[in-house]
Amino acid sequence: MRLHVADHPLVDHKLTVLRDEKTPSATFRLLVDELVTLLAYEATRHVRTEPKEIRTPVTTTTGVRLSDPSPIVVPILRAGLGMLEGMTRMIPTAEVGFLGLQRDESTYEAVTYANRLPDDLTDRQVFLLDPMLATGGTLVAAIDYVLERGARDVTAVCLLATPEGLDVLEKSIGSRVDVQIVVAAVDERLNDQKYIVPGLGDAGDRLYGIV
Ligand SMILES: O=P(O)(O)OC[C@H]1O[C@H](OP(=O)(O)OP(=O)(O)O)[C@H](O)[C@@H]1O
Ligand SMILES: O=c1cc[nH]c(=O)[nH]1
Ligand SMILES: [Mg+2]
């Protein structure tokens, strides 16, 4: 497993506003979108390209274009939906699949309630989007899901992670496939309710306002 933690003052600034409990949903949504755009730069460093001949006003030259088959971007509902627009703006040819996973409030286990993904993900680059990597249960379930469908090139883009969650991910997934995790920050720990500390609260509720 490869972990990349963004180290950039703009990311830190936006994250601080995001964490503030006084930040309203409208601003929160905007900031999530902006943060994903910044993280996408690193997350797509190895996006597949192929050569493309073009003619400039001066000469012909060989550039690149995003390869076929196109990458597939998968927001994990609900909160991951807030990251979709920012990511597809960066990869306009990407296809979009959906995974609905919700953490059970008493067992903290991830329960799958929806999926709309191609059956065959062989040779597809997959970008999973979820702002919160807390216990790691949700991301492990999502990665297992795409691995079962043949994906081998998987990048997860998250805003916050915990050391505990990253540990779970490494133990569960790390030996099976080389997954890349791109995060804005790794926070201190989980609290007794398995919330990220200092964190930003419930990302889905803060994005969409419905508890
Ligand atoms: O690492 P974990 O301990 O599994 O927790 C992380 C998950 O919890 C949140 O989703 P939630 O279950 O609140 O669903 P929501 O996005 O619909 O609010 C978050 O968006 C992650 O998907
Ligand atoms: O802190 C947390 C943990 C899980 N899910 C969230 O939305 N926030
Ligand atoms: Mg939630």
Side-chain angles (χ1 to χ4, degrees):
M1 188 175 96
R2 283 165 295 141
L3 174 68
H4 179 88
V5 185
D7 179 18
H8 196 288
L10 275 182
V11 170
D12 295 344
H13 166 75
K14 290 176 194 298
L15 209 46
T16 302
V17 184
L18 201 69
R19 291 180 191 278
D20 191 331
E21 63 178 2
K22 293 194 218 75
T23 299
S25 278
T27 313
F28 193 94
R29 283 197 285 268
L30 201 66
L31 284 165
V32 169
D33 182 76
E34 290 176 357
L35 278 162
V36 172
T37 307
L38 293 169
L39 296 181
Y41 182 75
E42 187 57 38
T44 56
R45 185 169 291 280
H46 302 292
V47 72
R48 291 184 207 143
T49 58
E50 59 196 26
K52 179 178 164 62
E53 293 277 322
I54 56 153
R55 196 169 170 80
T56 76
V58 180
T59 185
T60 54
T61 187
T62 307
V64 298
R65 68 172 167 213
L66 297 180
S67 300
D68 269 340
S70 59
I72 181 154
V73 174
V74 183
I76 299 174
L77 308 180
R78 269 177 317 170
L81 212 48
M83 303 169 76
L84 179 59
E85 179 79 20
M87 195 68 185
T88 51
R89 202 181 304 121
M90 293 295 114
I91 323 177
T93 57
E95 288 178 2
V96 179
F98 296 90
L99 262 182
L101 286 162
Q102 187 164 14
R103 209 171 70 156
D104 183 290
E105 282 177 17
S106 47
T107 63
Y108 308 111
E109 303 241 324
V111 179
T112 307
Y113 62 85
N115 81 76
R116 191 76 169 90
L117 278 174
D119 289 336
D120 187 6
L121 292 171
T122 313
D123 289 336
R124 302 296 294 270
Q125 263 185 311
V126 177
F127 292 91
L128 295 169
L129 308 178
D130 193 335
M132 310 303 271
L133 199 178
T135 65
T138 301
L139 198 54
V140 166
I143 292 172
D144 274 340
Y145 204 92
V146 297
L147 293 185
E148 275 165 25
R149 279 158 184 72
R152 290 295 172 267
D153 186 344
V154 182
T155 296
V157 187
C158 305
L159 298 184
L160 299 182
T162 58
E164 298 94 318
L166 289 168
D167 213 35
V168 165
L169 214 63
E170 173 65 47
K171 291 198 173 102
S172 167
I173 307 282
S175 56
R176 283 187 281 147
V177 70
D178 182 26
V179 173
Q180 179 185 213
I181 314 286
V182 177
V183 295
V186 178
D187 274 7
E188 283 167 28
R189 61 186 169 86
L190 290 169
N191 69 10
D192 293 344
Q193 287 77 45
K194 310 290 184 201
Y195 270 79
I196 300 177
V197 180
L200 49 76
D202 186 300
D205 294 350
R206 295 205 60 191
L207 276 164
Y208 302 116
I210 301 166
V211 183

